[in-house]
Protein backbone atom coordinates (compact mmCIF):
# COMPACT_ATOMS: atom_id res chain seq x y z
CA UNK A 1 0.00 0.00 0.00
CA UNK A 2 2.85 2.37 0.89
CA UNK A 3 4.65 1.70 -2.43
CA UNK A 4 1.38 2.36 -4.24
CA UNK A 5 1.03 5.72 -2.43
CA UNK A 6 4.62 6.67 -3.28
CA UNK A 7 4.03 5.87 -6.96
CA UNK A 8 0.85 7.92 -6.93
CA UNK A 9 2.68 10.80 -5.24
CA UNK A 10 5.49 10.68 -7.85
CA UNK A 11 2.90 10.85 -10.64
CA UNK A 12 1.25 13.84 -9.00
CA UNK A 13 4.62 15.56 -8.69
CA UNK A 14 5.37 14.78 -12.33
CA UNK A 15 2.00 16.22 -13.31
CA UNK A 16 2.78 19.40 -11.38
CA UNK A 17 6.13 19.66 -13.15
CA UNK A 18 4.45 19.22 -16.51
CA UNK A 19 1.89 21.90 -15.69
CA UNK A 20 4.69 24.26 -14.78
CA UNK A 21 6.48 23.51 -18.06
CA UNK A 22 3.21 23.91 -19.97
CA UNK A 23 2.71 27.39 -18.58
CA UNK A 24 6.14 28.30 -19.97
CA UNK A 25 5.12 27.08 -23.43
CA UNK A 26 5.99 23.36 -23.64
CA UNK A 27 5.77 21.22 -26.74
CA UNK A 28 3.07 18.77 -27.92
CA UNK A 29 4.81 15.73 -26.41
CA UNK A 30 4.85 17.28 -22.96
CA UNK A 31 1.22 18.33 -23.40
CA UNK A 32 0.26 14.75 -24.22
CA UNK A 33 2.21 13.48 -21.19
CA UNK A 34 0.48 16.04 -18.99
CA UNK A 35 -2.96 15.06 -20.31
CA UNK A 36 -2.19 11.38 -19.69
CA UNK A 37 -1.07 12.09 -16.11
CA UNK A 38 -4.22 14.16 -15.49
CA UNK A 39 -6.44 11.42 -16.93
CA UNK A 40 -4.70 8.79 -14.80
CA UNK A 41 -5.11 10.95 -11.69
CA UNK A 42 -8.82 11.46 -12.41
CA UNK A 43 -9.30 7.72 -12.98
CA UNK A 44 -7.50 6.86 -9.74
CA UNK A 45 -9.61 9.37 -7.79
CA UNK A 46 -12.76 7.91 -9.31
CA UNK A 47 -11.79 4.38 -8.22
CA UNK A 48 -10.90 5.32 -4.63
CA UNK A 49 -13.96 5.66 -2.41
CA UNK A 50 -14.33 8.41 0.16
CA UNK A 51 -13.71 6.13 3.16
CA UNK A 52 -10.36 4.97 1.78
CA UNK A 53 -9.38 8.55 0.99
CA UNK A 54 -10.25 9.67 4.54
CA UNK A 55 -8.36 6.71 6.01
CA UNK A 56 -5.31 7.63 3.93
CA UNK A 57 -5.46 11.28 4.98
CA UNK A 58 -5.74 10.34 8.66
CA UNK A 59 -2.80 7.91 8.45
CA UNK A 60 -0.75 10.51 6.58
CA UNK A 61 -1.50 13.16 9.23
CA UNK A 62 -0.57 10.68 11.98
CA UNK A 63 2.74 9.95 10.25
CA UNK A 64 3.48 13.68 10.09
CA UNK A 65 2.68 14.05 13.82
CA UNK A 66 -0.28 16.37 13.38
CA UNK A 67 -2.25 14.56 16.11
CA UNK A 68 0.56 14.73 18.68
CA UNK A 69 0.10 17.01 21.73
CA UNK A 70 -3.63 17.55 21.30
CA UNK A 71 -5.40 19.39 24.11
CA UNK A 72 -7.56 16.48 25.29
CA UNK A 73 -5.17 13.59 24.53
CA UNK A 74 -5.91 10.77 26.98
CA UNK A 75 -8.72 12.73 28.65
CA UNK A 76 -12.48 12.50 28.26
CA UNK A 77 -14.02 14.94 25.82
CA UNK A 78 -15.93 17.60 27.78
CA UNK A 79 -19.68 17.57 27.32
CA UNK A 80 -19.73 14.10 25.75
CA UNK A 81 -22.57 11.97 27.09
CA UNK A 82 -24.51 14.85 28.64
CA UNK A 83 -28.06 15.63 27.61
CA UNK A 84 -28.52 17.90 24.61
CA UNK A 85 -28.71 21.57 25.45
CA UNK A 86 -29.84 23.82 22.58
CA UNK A 87 -28.00 26.79 24.10
CA UNK A 88 -24.68 24.97 24.53
CA UNK A 89 -22.86 27.36 22.21
CA UNK A 90 -24.02 30.47 24.12
CA UNK A 91 -22.98 28.97 27.44
CA UNK A 92 -19.65 27.87 25.98
CA UNK A 93 -18.96 31.32 24.55
CA UNK A 94 -19.78 33.04 27.84
CA UNK A 95 -17.55 30.63 29.76
CA UNK A 96 -14.63 30.66 27.28
CA UNK A 97 -14.56 34.42 26.85
CA UNK A 98 -15.42 35.10 30.51
CA UNK A 99 -18.21 37.41 29.42
CA UNK A 100 -20.50 38.89 31.99
CA UNK A 101 -23.70 40.83 31.62
CA UNK A 102 -24.69 39.34 28.27
CA UNK A 103 -26.66 36.23 27.47
CA UNK A 104 -30.15 34.89 27.95
CA UNK A 105 -31.88 36.28 31.07
CA UNK A 106 -32.40 32.76 32.46
CA UNK A 107 -28.66 32.07 32.55
CA UNK A 108 -27.75 35.51 33.88
CA UNK A 109 -30.30 35.21 36.69
CA UNK A 110 -29.01 31.75 37.64
CA UNK A 111 -25.46 33.08 37.82
CA UNK A 112 -26.57 36.08 39.86
CA UNK A 113 -28.61 33.82 42.18
CA UNK A 114 -25.54 31.68 42.93
CA UNK A 115 -23.50 34.78 43.81
CA UNK A 116 -26.26 36.70 45.63
CA UNK A 117 -25.41 35.63 49.21
CA UNK A 118 -21.81 36.80 48.83
CA UNK A 119 -23.07 40.11 47.44
CA UNK A 120 -25.50 40.52 50.34
CA UNK A 121 -22.73 39.83 52.87
CA UNK A 122 -20.89 42.89 51.57
CA UNK A 123 -23.78 45.22 52.48
CA UNK A 124 -23.96 47.21 55.74
CA UNK A 125 -27.64 47.91 56.32
CA UNK A 126 -30.95 46.08 56.19
CA UNK A 127 -32.24 48.61 53.64
CA UNK A 128 -29.39 47.84 51.23
CA UNK A 129 -30.09 44.11 51.49
CA UNK A 130 -33.83 44.62 50.99
CA UNK A 131 -33.27 46.85 47.94
CA UNK A 132 -30.98 44.27 46.30
CA UNK A 133 -33.44 41.42 46.98
CA UNK A 134 -36.46 43.38 45.73
CA UNK A 135 -34.61 44.34 42.55
CA UNK A 136 -33.58 40.72 42.02
CA UNK A 137 -37.15 39.44 42.52
CA UNK A 138 -38.52 42.10 40.15
CA UNK A 139 -36.08 41.03 37.40
CA UNK A 140 -36.95 37.32 37.88
CA UNK A 141 -40.67 38.08 37.51
CA UNK A 142 -40.03 40.24 34.45
CA UNK A 143 -37.90 37.51 32.83
CA UNK A 144 -40.68 34.96 33.45
CA UNK A 145 -43.22 37.21 31.73
CA UNK A 146 -41.19 37.73 28.57
CA UNK A 147 -41.42 34.92 26.08
CA UNK A 148 -38.34 35.64 23.98
CA UNK A 149 -37.17 32.06 23.58
CA UNK A 150 -34.07 30.56 25.08
CA UNK A 151 -33.93 28.47 28.22
CA UNK A 152 -36.79 28.72 30.71
CA UNK A 153 -36.39 30.92 33.78
CA UNK A 154 -36.25 28.51 36.72
CA UNK A 155 -34.60 30.85 39.20
CA UNK A 156 -36.61 30.98 42.41
CA UNK A 157 -37.81 34.18 44.01
CA UNK A 158 -36.13 35.14 47.27
CA UNK A 159 -38.19 35.69 50.44
CA UNK A 160 -36.98 39.16 51.42
CA UNK A 161 -37.66 38.92 55.18
CA UNK A 162 -36.16 35.44 55.49
CA UNK A 163 -33.08 36.50 53.53
CA UNK A 164 -32.62 39.62 55.68
CA UNK A 165 -32.83 37.45 58.81
CA UNK A 166 -30.23 35.03 57.39
CA UNK A 167 -28.01 38.01 56.51
CA UNK A 168 -28.28 39.29 60.09
CA UNK A 169 -27.39 35.86 61.43
CA UNK A 170 -24.34 35.58 59.16
CA UNK A 171 -23.18 39.04 60.28
CA UNK A 172 -23.66 38.15 63.94
CA UNK A 173 -21.70 34.92 63.49
CA UNK A 174 -18.89 36.78 61.76
CA UNK A 175 -18.82 39.58 64.36
CA UNK A 176 -18.69 37.39 67.46
CA UNK A 177 -15.73 35.07 67.21
CA UNK A 178 -15.75 32.07 69.50
CA UNK A 179 -13.80 32.69 72.69
CA UNK A 180 -10.39 31.12 72.66
CA UNK A 181 -9.92 28.80 75.59
CA UNK A 182 -6.58 27.37 76.55
CA UNK A 183 -6.50 23.66 77.01
CA UNK A 184 -5.67 22.59 80.56
CA UNK A 185 -1.98 22.10 81.22
CA UNK A 186 -0.97 24.76 78.72
CA UNK A 187 -0.39 27.59 81.20
CA UNK A 188 2.28 30.19 80.63
CA UNK A 189 5.29 30.43 82.97
CA UNK A 190 3.92 33.45 84.82
CA UNK A 191 0.57 31.68 85.48
CA UNK A 192 2.42 28.77 87.01
CA UNK A 193 4.55 31.14 89.08
CA UNK A 194 1.51 33.20 90.22
CA UNK A 195 -0.53 30.17 91.23
CA UNK A 196 2.45 28.63 92.99
CA UNK A 197 2.24 25.32 91.17
CA UNK A 198 4.60 23.98 88.65
Amino acid sequence: MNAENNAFRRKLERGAELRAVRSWGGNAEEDAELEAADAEEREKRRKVDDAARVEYLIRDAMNHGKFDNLKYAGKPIPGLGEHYDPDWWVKGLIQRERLSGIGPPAILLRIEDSELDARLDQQYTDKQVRDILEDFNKRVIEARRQLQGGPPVITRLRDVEAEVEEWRQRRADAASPEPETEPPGKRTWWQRLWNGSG
Side-chain angles (χ1 to χ4, degrees), residues 37 52 78 108:
L108 295 175

Side-chain angles (χ1 to χ4, degrees), residues 89-104:
W89 63 274
V90 174
K91 294 176 185 174
L93 176 69
I94 290 171
Q95 186 179 20
R96 264 192 325 275
E97 302 295 329
R98 293 188 177 101
L99 300 175
S100 61
I102 62 169

Side-chain angles (χ1 to χ4, degrees), residues 60-154:
D60 189 46
M62 288 171 64
N63 290 338
H64 286 106
K66 293 182 179 177
F67 293 131
D68 297 345
N69 302 323
L70 291 176
K71 183 176 181 180
Y72 294 109
K75 299 176 187 170
I77 298 173
L80 193 63
E82 296 177 2
H83 67 284
Y84 177 70
D85 182 7
D87 296 318
W88 63 270
W89 63 274
V90 174
K91 294 176 185 174
L93 176 69
I94 290 171
Q95 186 179 20
R96 264 192 325 275
E97 302 295 329
R98 293 188 177 101
L99 300 175
S100 61
I102 62 169
I107 295 173
L108 295 175
L109 287 170
R110 281 187 232 163
I111 292 169
E112 186 178 348
D113 185 43
S114 67
E115 299 168 351
L116 192 59
D117 287 339
R119 183 175 169 207
L120 295 177
D121 289 343
Q122 295 174 350
Q123 306 309 313
Y124 298 106
T125 65
D126 291 358
K127 182 180 179 342
Q128 291 173 329
V129 173
R130 277 193 179 86
D131 290 344
I132 290 172
L133 289 168
E134 288 169 2
D135 177 58
F136 176 77
N137 286 342
K138 187 186 330 174
R139 287 185 287 121
V140 169
I141 292 170
E142 187 63 31
R144 286 180 183 170
R145 285 183 186 154
Q146 295 177 358
L147 301 174
Q148 297 177 350
V153 179
I154 59 171

Side-chain angles (χ1 to χ4, degrees), residues 7-19:
F8 180 66
R9 184 173 282 164
R10 280 194 301 268
K11 287 180 183 178
L12 286 177
E13 289 171 355
R14 179 67 182 144
E17 289 173 6
L18 290 174
R19 277 191 216 95

